[in-house]
Amino acid sequence: MKTGAVLASGVLATGTVGASVKQEDHEVHEGESVDVGDGTVTAYATTNSAEELSSLGVHVDDDALASVDVDESKPHDSVAAHLSFPDAVDTLQFTFVGFHFNPVGHPPPDIYTVPHFDFHFYMMAEDAVEGIPLGVAAYDVPDKQHPSGFVFEDSRLIEPEMGEHLLDGTAPEFNDGEFTHTYVYGAYDSSIDPENPSGVEELELGGETREVPVFEGDGEGRIHFVEPMVTTEFFASLDEEMSVDVTTPETFFTEGRYPTEYVLKPDRSDGVHISIDGFEEFPGPS
């Protein structure tokens, strides 16, 4: 979800992920890295013995985690960066990953307003994502492409250079629990013309009332990213690998293989991994 300015510039990875994420009969392929504080964040993919994609992930090393360790006496800026996946791997519909650190969280208030990381795995070209405007969504997502239990935010806000967020209404943080890690879907209608809104709506943004354009597009949006979110506190306490099954739509915007789980894993030598896994075949629209 929404963060601040980009603070890190991309450089090619040079062996920072390595065998720590490798599973039996799976190969690790490193993508792009960015410097975060004194550390490094790296995108990667794994493939199985049939050379099929088995996971897409991000490795955050210990120095990067320490760089964003939240200390009230030392305020931190938000960090946002786009990371490319390895060129040698067919990443299916996935195009790049957006890495974000949010030192004070983001809305909804008292739910996600704690320090945490967001990992956006996009299924749309990077330049198209960067062209997404601030707005209010007035399109629909087809029922079979809308994951059960996931709900639009009340304002249906389209975050610029990101999209709309569908939140898991069954997650602990919405049912008298607290947010430690969760999964979010993103939606957008790529036919939207940012120069031609269908109207305006008044919203409270950043403590002030603003007129925000309403976008209808051709009336039909689609899921265009999946997003694990993890608090800094939970990452700090992670001592063993855990996988979390996710609710999926019946269909996606095009047939293909899509993730059915996300995995959080401490690196036995340096940092943590988060990945989308369990790729299975899904149909496209009938």
Side-chain angles (χ1 to χ4, degrees):
M1 298 179 76
K2 186 63 176 174
T3 65
V6 175
L7 299 183
S9 58
V11 294
L12 290 180
T14 55
T16 58
V17 180
S20 60
V21 73
K22 187 174 182 178
Q23 305 172 38
E24 186 176 356
D25 296 327
H26 289 250
E27 290 294 327
V28 180
H29 311 265
E30 295 187 17
E32 193 173 21
S33 290
V34 292
D35 296 328
V36 174
D38 296 325
T40 305
V41 176
T42 305
Y44 66 88
T46 66
T47 53
N48 60 24
S49 59
E51 298 185 352
E52 299 173 323
L53 181 70
S54 52
S55 71
L56 289 172
V58 177
H59 176 256
V60 185
D61 71 16
D62 283 332
D63 287 337
L65 288 173
S67 297
V68 298
D69 183 24
V70 176
D71 179 345
E72 291 183 1
S73 67
K74 186 180 67 174
H76 285 76
D77 292 324
S78 299
V79 178
H82 291 174
L83 300 173
S84 300
F85 294 120
D87 292 335
V89 178
D90 179 2
T91 56
L92 307 176
Q93 289 76 26
F94 291 90
T95 51
F96 68 99
V97 61
F99 166 78
H100 305 266
F101 167 61
N102 304 284
V104 295
H106 52 62
D110 302 320
I111 300 291
Y112 296 133
T113 44
V114 295
H116 71 270
F117 296 93
D118 298 341
F119 303 88
H120 294 75
F121 293 85
Y122 284 100
M123 294 172 277
M124 183 182 288
E126 186 173 6
D127 59 350
V129 172
E130 291 173 345
I132 293 175
L134 172 69
V136 175
Y139 50 76
D140 294 319
V141 173
D143 288 345
K144 289 188 176 181
Q145 296 181 47
H146 191 138
S148 176
F150 283 76
V151 297
F152 293 111
E153 295 183 88
D154 290 341
S155 63
R156 299 236 15 215
L157 184 68
I158 301 171
E159 293 280 3
E161 302 183 35
M162 197 171 294
E164 187 179 11
H165 293 77
L166 282 70
L167 307 179
D168 183 2
T170 69
E173 57 265 27
F174 295 107
N175 295 278
D176 299 323
E178 64 176 15
F179 164 50
T180 56
H181 58 90
T182 194
Y183 197 70
V184 175
Y185 282 97
Y188 187 63
D189 180 351
S190 58
S191 72
I192 285 172
D193 178 357
E195 301 300 321
N196 289 290
S198 58
V200 296
E201 184 173 320
E202 288 191 348
L203 293 181
E204 289 288 330
L205 295 176
E208 62 179 5
T209 301
R210 295 175 56 183
E211 286 192 345
V212 179
V214 176
F215 293 107
E216 186 175 1
D218 65 8
E220 185 173 298
R222 69 169 176 88
I223 299 299
H224 77 299
F225 69 72
V226 298
E227 179 195 356
M229 302 198 312
V230 188
T231 66
T232 55
E233 183 178 11
F234 190 82
F235 262 153
S237 67
L238 186 66
D239 58 6
E240 62 181 0
E241 179 177 343
M242 61 178 295
S243 62
V244 183
D245 292 336
V246 299
T247 300
T248 60
E250 293 181 40
T251 68
F252 281 85
F253 63 94
T254 187
E255 66 178 334
R257 295 172 62 230
Y258 296 88
T260 62
E261 64 181 3
Y262 64 96
V263 175
L264 307 175
K265 181 180 179 179
D267 189 316
R268 61 177 176 260
S269 60
D270 183 18
V272 293
H273 301 269
I274 184 163
S275 61
I276 52 175
D277 288 66
F279 283 85
E280 295 181 6
E281 291 287 341
F282 285 84
S286 57

